[in-house]
Amino acid sequence: MTTTSTLRRALLYVPSSSQKFLSKSLLLPHPTDNITYDLEDSVTPSLKPTARTNLLTHLSSLPKPPPNVGELAVRINAISTPHALPDLTTLAPLPTSTLSALVIPKVNSPSDLTFVIDILRQVSNPNEPPKKLIALIESARAVMDLKQICEAGKGYLDGLIFAAEDFALDLSLTRTPSLREFLYARSAIATAARAFELSSTIDLVCTSYKGEEGKARLEEECRDGKEVGFNGKQCIHPSQVEIAQRMFAPEEKEVEWAVRVVIADEKAQAAGRGAWTMDNKMIDAPVVGKAHSVVAKAKKCGLDVEGLKKKWQGQEPE
C-alpha cells in the first residue's frame, strides 16, 4: 500500500515509439517530478509492439534512480484493447526502482483496475513494493463511478487524471478557454482523489505551449486547476514542465505565512492556547493544519523552508 505522498506537479508524456525521444527524455535541463512513457495515444497500432520492446530496453538500461527525475511511469494501452496484457506482462516485472508507476487509460469501471491489479500480483516481485496506479478518467460513466473505482484500486491506486478531450467526445462538448464545461467532472475527480487520500489529482492537457501566448495560457490553466483542487498537470512538451511545477508549488508568500503560523503555534501550544491571532486574524486548528501541509509540500518542492524558519524564529502568537 502507498504510504508516502508522491509529488507529481507535472506529468510529462514521452512517446515510446521514438528512440530519439526516449534517449532525450532524461536530458531535460531541470528536475522533473514525473516522466510517463506513452504506449497509448502517441503510438500508432502498427508500432505498438516495437514501441513496447524499445521501451523495455530503454528502462532496463537506466541508472537507478535516474538523475533529476522523481518518478518513471508508463501509460499502457486501454484494458479494452489487445495491447494491454502484453504491455503489463512485459513491463510490470521491472523493478519498482526502475518503473514505479503505471498510468491506466480509459478507466471506465472498477473491473478495469481489478484486471490490472490481478496481473500485477501474478508478474511482480512479491518482495518489492507494488507499482502505483494512476487512473485516467475519460468518460461520463467513469465520473459517475469514481467512488467504486477508487475502492477497487485500494492499496495500488495513487492518483486520478482528467482526460478532457475524450470526456468532451463522450459528452459531445466543445472545449472553451474558460473550461467551464468541465467544471463538474474536474471537481468530482479532485474531490474523489482527496476523499481516498490519493497522492495526485492531475488536470487536463494544455494544448498551447509555443511562445508567450502558450506560456500565459498554461499558467492560467494551472492557476485554475489549483483553485479547483488539482495538484498537477499533464504535459505534452518539455517546455511545459518548469511552468507546471512552479505553478503547483506553494507560492513564496504562502510558505512564509505557513512557517510563521507553525512557529507561533508551537509557542501557543506550550502556553496552553488553543486559538490565537496573527496579523489580526484568528488562527485555530484547521488553519494550523493547513500551514503544516504547506510547509511539508514546500520542503518536497525544494523551497528554502529552513531559511524562512531562521528568519521568523521570533514569531509570537498575538
Side-chain angles (χ1 to χ4, degrees):
M1 181 179 293
T2 299
T3 56
T4 58
S5 180
T6 303
L7 196 65
R8 301 186 185 99
R9 295 166 295 171
L11 185 146
L12 174 64
Y13 291 115
V14 175
S16 295
S17 56
S18 169
Q19 189 60 54
K20 174 185 175 182
F21 289 156
L22 290 177
S23 300
K24 293 176 65 177
S25 63
L26 300 180
L27 301 177
L28 298 178
H30 42 69
T32 304
D33 289 347
N34 170 288
I35 289 177
T36 294
Y37 294 110
D38 188 29
L39 291 170
E40 196 212 11
D41 283 349
S42 65
V43 181
T44 60
S46 63
L47 291 178
K48 288 186 185 293
T50 301
R52 186 186 306 120
T53 301
N54 289 346
L55 181 56
L56 177 62
T57 301
H58 171 72
L59 289 171
S60 300
S61 67
L62 295 180
K64 304 175 183 59
N68 292 327
V69 181
E71 174 185 64
L72 291 181
V74 170
R75 178 164 70 171
I76 66 169
N77 286 281
I79 303 307
S80 59
T81 72
H83 306 292
L85 184 57
D87 287 348
L88 287 168
T89 55
T90 299
L91 297 167
L94 286 168
T96 303
S97 58
T98 298
L99 176 64
S100 58
L102 296 171
V103 177
I104 316 301
K106 297 178 174 60
V107 175
N108 288 317
S109 68
S111 62
D112 292 331
L113 282 187
T114 55
F115 174 85
V116 174
I117 292 170
D118 286 344
I119 300 300
L120 288 180
R121 287 171 174 162
Q122 295 176 45
V123 303
S124 300
N125 185 338
N127 297 319
E128 289 198 337
K131 301 277 191 298
K132 299 170 183 176
L133 301 183
I134 309 170
L136 273 154
I137 304 301
E138 313 192 24
S139 67
R141 178 185 175 190
V143 171
M144 298 308 295
D145 287 348
L146 278 169
K147 180 176 182 292
Q148 292 83 356
I149 287 170
C150 291
E151 289 173 341
K154 186 176 181 180
Y156 290 83
L157 188 65
D158 197 48
L160 300 175
I161 305 174
F162 178 51
E165 302 308 323
D166 286 272
F167 185 82
L169 176 64
D170 189 35
L171 271 70
S172 298
L173 299 174
T174 299
R175 179 170 174 164
T176 65
S178 73
L179 304 178
R180 182 179 61 86
E181 60 278 0
F182 298 131
L183 181 58
Y184 174 77
R186 292 166 74 218
S187 295
I189 290 167
T191 301
R194 181 68 207 121
F196 285 88
E197 299 183 339
L198 307 182
S199 293
S200 300
T201 176
I202 301 172
D203 205 4
L204 43 69
V205 168
C206 178
T207 55
S208 300
Y209 62 88
K210 294 184 178 180
E212 291 302 313
E213 182 178 347
K215 176 182 176 181
R217 182 65 202 158
L218 176 58
E219 289 182 347
E220 178 57 33
E221 285 195 12
C222 288
R223 190 175 297 110
D224 177 74
K226 195 172 182 179
E227 291 174 355
V228 172
F230 288 88
N231 59 18
K233 187 80 167 170
Q234 297 173 84
C235 298
I236 55 173
H237 192 274
S239 64
Q240 295 180 318
V241 171
E242 187 279 328
I243 295 173
Q245 292 187 169
R246 171 170 50 82
M247 294 297 294
F248 280 100
E251 296 180 1
E252 184 177 345
K253 288 184 178 180
E254 183 183 15
V255 179
E256 190 162 21
W257 166 85
V259 166
R260 292 174 62 203
V261 170
V262 168
I263 291 172
D265 184 64
E266 291 175 354
K267 297 174 182 178
Q269 292 295 322
R273 297 171 60 185
W276 43 279
T277 61
M278 188 178 81
D279 299 339
N280 297 319
K281 295 180 181 179
M282 188 184 78
I283 307 295
D284 57 8
V287 178
V288 173
K290 170 67 173 176
H292 279 284
S293 177
V294 170
V295 169
K297 185 165 186 178
K299 288 180 179 178
K300 294 185 71 173
C301 293
L303 302 180
D304 185 17
V305 173
E306 293 307 314
L308 287 172
K309 285 184 176 180
K310 290 180 180 178
K311 176 182 176 181
W312 289 102
Q313 60 186 337
Q315 178 69 52
E316 298 285 341
E318 296 171 4

